[in-house]
Amino acid sequence: MNWMQLTWPMLASASLIVAIAHVVIWIARPSQKVHLALSLAAASVAALALLELAAYRSLAPAELASYLRWMHLAIAVMVLSLLYVLHHWFGYGSTRIVVVAAVLRLVALVLNFTVGDNLNFLAVTEVGRSVWLGVPISHPIGETNPSVLAGQISNALVLVYVGQTIVRALRTPSTESRAALIVAGSWFLLIAIMVASTLLMVFGLPRPPLIAAMGFLLVVVTTSYCLVSELIRSQRMVMELQASELSRLRSEQEVATERASLAHLSRVTTLGELSGSLVHELNQPLTAILSNAQAAQRILRRDPQDIAEIHEILVDIIDNDRRAGEVIGRMRGFLRKEAYEHAPLAINEIVSDCVRMMRSELHDQRVTVHLDLAPDLAPCLGDRVQLQQVVVNLIMNACESMQSSEQGHVVSIRTRASPDGVLTEVIDAGAGIPEEMLERIFAPFETTKATGMGMGLAVCRTIIRGHGGSIQAENVAPHGARFFFNLPQHG
């Protein structure tokens, strides 16, 4: 066994390994058809290496002519596949040139099987023998086929296309252009080898071994190396992007958790400010329950038969117990710290519940509430507790702004339909908002109150924006301020 019998099978095996590797990549990523094309090119190089080895050992003219004919099929598949890879990967050259080059290569392939023995010879008349590095090899001798011109024109156009790619890559330095230089440079070398090999064969001269198969393998390996390097780089970028996105999502979750905690703290603070009002509101039904129970005891001692009056007392006790339960339920819902659930809500019910919750506080501050709630408003999608928090905060701010006002302590609350949803307004008759604060009134830690933290309106804005709405503030003439928020309607 000589070195040629070892080298050519090794070339074929290496080419097949590259082909299988790119088929696997293409199966995993079907959209990247360049890997399928490159696997076809590598498989063609493997076939070319085996045919070339057989041709070098052939002694019969007809047998050698047949091997040359099938070698052109492998060369055509390889050239077309690599043209596809080069054009669809980089696209630096002219589309028209690459199309004409591919068409001429197909024409040359048809002529290879229809005119003469093969594309190079009309007839192979004899087999020449020469010795390279101690190994005798065969080369064809015969009448030149004029059809070989089609293949050479195709090679010339490929050279032009490769030259365009090299020039474009030199003008735009980048990672992709460096890959284009490597692939196009190996292509340029391959085409030069193909032209030289054809000329040697046409003139009946022996060509050195390792010309065709080795040249094609060089192009396939360099292209494969650049393509796989690009794949690894893009995969690394995807992993970095996924890690960055995961980090961003975690940060957003942390921010959302902090906002929820801040909103809960704001509700606790608000409820603390309303504690006197809530105690008073609970005291009324509890006192009534106690009085009714004592009255029932006296009636039973005086006249156990007066069932009708005892029944009325029990009805009053039940009603007052329900009132107390509603107050406690509102307090518990207002204080809960759970995942919020958005559901269709009537904004008029939200406003009415908040006014009932603050009834005693409003009475103690001698504030009158005028409600102007539009009927038949479309429902809004939102969380009841969060929207209650917004309305309570706005009403409390309105009450506090009128503490030093000599005007009537009146808060007007209006709801009405708007072009893009449902509008809710809270209007007071206080001193209004200082002009320099109008632009930043909803910013954190901005407040007009001496003892305020400046978080109430910031939380309100966060809640309304979380519901897909907007909240604004403005002064009204002759005095007072108007806070209004708009929520998108549901359905």
Side-chain angles (χ1 to χ4, degrees), residues 225-253:
Y225 168 77
C226 293
L227 195 59
V228 171
S229 298
E230 183 68 18
L231 179 64
I232 293 172
R233 189 175 69 87
S234 63
Q235 186 65 27
R236 187 182 298 116
M237 290 177 62
V238 168
M239 292 175 66
E240 291 175 356
L241 184 61
Q242 288 176 342
S244 174
E245 184 68 12
L246 183 60
S247 176
R248 184 185 66 80
L249 290 175
R250 286 177 178 171
S251 297
E252 288 182 356
Q253 276 187 329

Side-chain angles (χ1 to χ4, degrees), residues 268-277 361 365 396 400 449:
V268 172
T269 304
T270 301
L271 202 58
E273 296 176 12
L274 289 174
S275 59
S277 174
E361 182 74 16
Q365 295 194 33
M396 288 186 65
E400 291 171 358
K449 298 180 285 187

Side-chain angles (χ1 to χ4, degrees), residues 141-275:
I141 299 174
E143 183 182 356
T144 303
N145 190 342
S147 302
V148 74
L149 188 61
Q152 294 308 303
I153 294 175
S154 174
N155 290 339
L157 290 175
V158 172
L159 273 177
V160 173
Y161 180 81
V162 170
Q164 289 180 330
T165 301
I166 292 174
V167 171
R168 178 83 175 274
L170 289 172
R171 289 178 178 174
T172 56
S174 65
T175 303
E176 185 179 85
S177 63
R178 285 194 295 271
L181 281 173
I182 295 172
V183 174
S186 61
W187 255 99
F188 202 89
L189 178 62
L190 171 65
I191 299 302
I193 290 174
M194 288 176 64
V195 172
S197 175
T198 302
L199 290 176
L200 289 173
M201 190 178 298
V202 167
F203 287 109
L205 299 174
R207 62 173 186 166
L210 298 177
I211 281 187
M214 182 59 77
F216 287 127
L217 183 60
L218 173 66
V219 172
V220 169
V221 169
T222 54
T223 305
S224 178
Y225 168 77
C226 293
L227 195 59
V228 171
S229 298
E230 183 68 18
L231 179 64
I232 293 172
R233 189 175 69 87
S234 63
Q235 186 65 27
R236 187 182 298 116
M237 290 177 62
V238 168
M239 292 175 66
E240 291 175 356
L241 184 61
Q242 288 176 342
S244 174
E245 184 68 12
L246 183 60
S247 176
R248 184 185 66 80
L249 290 175
R250 286 177 178 171
S251 297
E252 288 182 356
Q253 276 187 329
E254 290 172 0
V255 170
T257 302
E258 290 176 1
R259 285 178 178 172
S261 299
L262 184 60
H264 181 254
L265 177 62
S266 176
R267 288 200 300 276
V268 172
T269 304
T270 301
L271 202 58
E273 296 176 12
L274 289 174
S275 59

Side-chain angles (χ1 to χ4, degrees), residues 273-289:
E273 296 176 12
L274 289 174
S275 59
S277 174
L278 291 170
V279 168
H280 179 70
E281 192 168 347
L282 279 173
N283 189 54
Q284 287 182 336
L286 293 176
T287 301
I289 289 172

